[in-house]
Structures are given as structure tokens and as C-alpha cells.
């Protein structure tokens, strides 16, 4: 049991970026934007197809990354991804996500209905049982795949996401202040009406 806890701590604190599993999921959100950038570089036709159909990739891949593909892929594929993940770290998540899309690229490009494209994209992890081919795509066809590129993209998107989160917090605070102000005014009006009556 103690070893299981140590392994979980190592995954959260060492293999994954900081703030991956916090209440804001900051690093998780950042990685979705990084994946979108890398998809545009490595598989540009599919990226353009997703953009044309306004497919939000994070609705498909967010859970893949958050759970390191557990429950999102067949067991054999999950084991292959986890073996690589424990050896190479979070970079593997990008490799396999891109490989899944690359392996199914032609089928996805042939779909011209947005809902059908979304549903087919969600299912690519369950259809991709050719582990040898998938691994070849992930570790050969997607190269070069320098970690410094991912790190640089993470830095840029972290700043953007933090700014967006701060803006949302400012809006929330302004709404809360406005609600409090109006509530106190209504309370005062009610009290004045009671005194008059």
C-alpha cells in the first residue's frame, strides 16, 4: 500500500507538470493548448479539418491526459502508454495522442459532418489496436519531438491561461460585489417599507 502511494506521489509531483491536478487544473489546460499547437505542426491537414468543423480537441483529449489514458483506451494500449510514460514522462502523452490521430487521419478527413467527426475522434483510442504501428508513429513518424519545444509552448500558454483565469476571477468578484450591493439595498428598502407600514 505504501509503495502504491509513493508511486502516485511520484506521478503527480515528478512526472507531471506542477499544477496538473490542482483545483484549477492549470497545467492540464495548458497541455491541451500545447497539443493543439503540435497537432497544427505535425498533422496540419487534420488540424485544419478540426478547425473548419470547430471541433474543440480538449473535449476529446483532456481526459486522456488527465488519466494518462486509463479508461480511455484498450488495456493493451494503456499498458504500452504507461510503460513509456513511466520511462519518458509527460511527453509521451503528446506522442500517443498525435499518433492516434495520425493513424486515423484519413478516416477523420473523410468525415464532413461535425457531429460524426467529433464522435469518430472520440473513439480513435478504442479503435487503434495495432500497437506496433501506433508505437512506430509515436516514436518515429512524429520525430523530431524535443522536450524543450513542449516546455517553451507550456511557458507561453501558462501565461495566457493565468491571465484568462485572473480576468474570470475579476469578473466573478465584480459580480459578487454588485450582487452584495443590490442585496443590501433591497434589504434597506424592505426595512424602510416595514417602518412606514
Amino acid at each position: 500500500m505504501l509503495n502504491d502511494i509513493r508511486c502516485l506521489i511520484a506521478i503527480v509531483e515528478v512526472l507531471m507538470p506542477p499544477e496538473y491536478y490542482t483545483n484549477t487544473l492549470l497545467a492540464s489546460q495548458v497541455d491541451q493548448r500545447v497539443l493543439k499547437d503540435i497537432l497544427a505542426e505535425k498533422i496540419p491537414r487534420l488540424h485544419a479539418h478540426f478547425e473548419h468543423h470547430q471541433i474543440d480537441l480538449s473535449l476529446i483529449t483532456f481526459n486522456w491526459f488527465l488519466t494518462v489514458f486509463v479508461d480511455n483506451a484498450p488495456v493493451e494500449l494503456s499498458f504500452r502508454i504507461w510503460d513509456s510514460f513511466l520511462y519518458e514522462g509527460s511527453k509521451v502523452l503528446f506522442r500517443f495522442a498525435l499518433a492516434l490521430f495520425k493513424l486515423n487521419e484519413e478516416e477523420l478527413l473523410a468525415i464532413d459532418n461535425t457531429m460524426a467527426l467529433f464522435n469518430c475522434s472520440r473513439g480513435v483510442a478504442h479503435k487503434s489496436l495495432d500497437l506496433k504501428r501506433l508505437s512506430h508513429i509515436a516514436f518515429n513518424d512524429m520525430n523530431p519531438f524535443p522536450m524543450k519545444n513542449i516546455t517553451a509552448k507550456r511557458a507561453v500558454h501558462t501565461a495566457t491561461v493565468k491571465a484568462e483565469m485572473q480576468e474570470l476571477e475579476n469578473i466573478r468578484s465584480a459580480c459578487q460585489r454588485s450582487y452584495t450591493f443590490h442585496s443590501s439595498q433591497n434589504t434597506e428598502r424592505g426595512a424602510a417599507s416595514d417602518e412606514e407600514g
Side-chain angles (χ1 to χ4, degrees):
M1 180 69 175
L2 187 58
N3 285 336
D4 294 342
I5 293 170
R6 286 183 181 150
C7 183
L8 181 60
I9 290 169
I11 290 166
V12 171
E13 294 183 353
V14 178
L15 293 176
M16 298 301 272
E19 299 188 66
Y20 218 83
Y21 299 103
T22 61
N23 61 346
T24 62
L25 299 170
L26 174 67
S28 302
Q29 293 182 57
V30 167
D31 272 1
Q32 293 307 301
R33 294 178 186 211
V34 172
L35 176 63
K36 188 176 176 182
D37 287 353
I38 298 173
L39 181 73
E41 294 169 6
K42 302 282 186 182
I43 317 172
R45 289 188 315 143
L46 185 58
H47 175 265
H49 192 56
F50 284 148
E51 290 292 303
H52 174 73
H53 286 281
Q54 299 177 336
I55 299 291
D56 183 351
L57 198 62
S58 68
L59 295 175
I60 299 162
T61 59
F62 193 86
N63 205 40
W64 293 359
F65 280 48
L66 206 58
T67 64
V68 191
F69 287 88
V70 170
D71 289 336
N72 295 290
V75 173
E76 300 85 3
L77 176 56
S78 294
F79 286 161
R80 178 72 56 96
I81 292 170
W82 270 85
D83 282 346
S84 303
F85 170 71
L86 292 172
Y87 181 73
E88 196 174 335
S90 63
K91 175 180 178 178
V92 164
L93 302 176
F94 296 99
R95 283 187 180 278
F96 276 100
L98 292 168
L100 286 166
F101 286 124
K102 184 65 179 173
L103 187 62
N104 294 278
E105 180 180 19
E106 295 307 319
E107 179 184 355
L108 294 170
L109 288 172
I111 300 171
D112 202 34
N113 176 283
T114 300
M115 199 64 207
L117 178 59
F118 179 78
N119 288 331
C120 188
S121 298
R122 282 182 52 205
V124 295
H126 291 283
K127 296 188 318 185
S128 304
L129 295 176
D130 186 348
L131 297 181
K132 188 174 182 179
R133 180 150 160 60
L134 188 67
S135 293
H136 181 80
I137 293 169
F139 291 98
N140 294 297
D141 295 355
M142 290 296 120
N143 284 335
F145 212 90
M147 188 62 194
K148 66 181 179 181
N149 187 24
I150 293 171
T151 302
K153 289 180 186 306
R154 279 177 169 163
V156 168
H157 287 298
T158 297
T160 304
V161 171
K162 281 184 175 179
E164 289 171 1
M165 291 171 103
Q166 185 59 54
E167 184 178 341
L168 287 173
E169 179 58 29
N170 293 344
I171 293 168
R172 188 192 67 76
S173 295
C175 288
Q176 191 172 19
R177 283 192 304 276
S178 176
Y179 174 77
T180 303
F181 174 75
H182 291 297
S183 292
S184 66
Q185 279 189 331
N186 289 338
T187 303
E188 288 171 8
R189 284 187 196 131
S193 296
D194 289 345
E195 288 174 10
E196 290 172 4

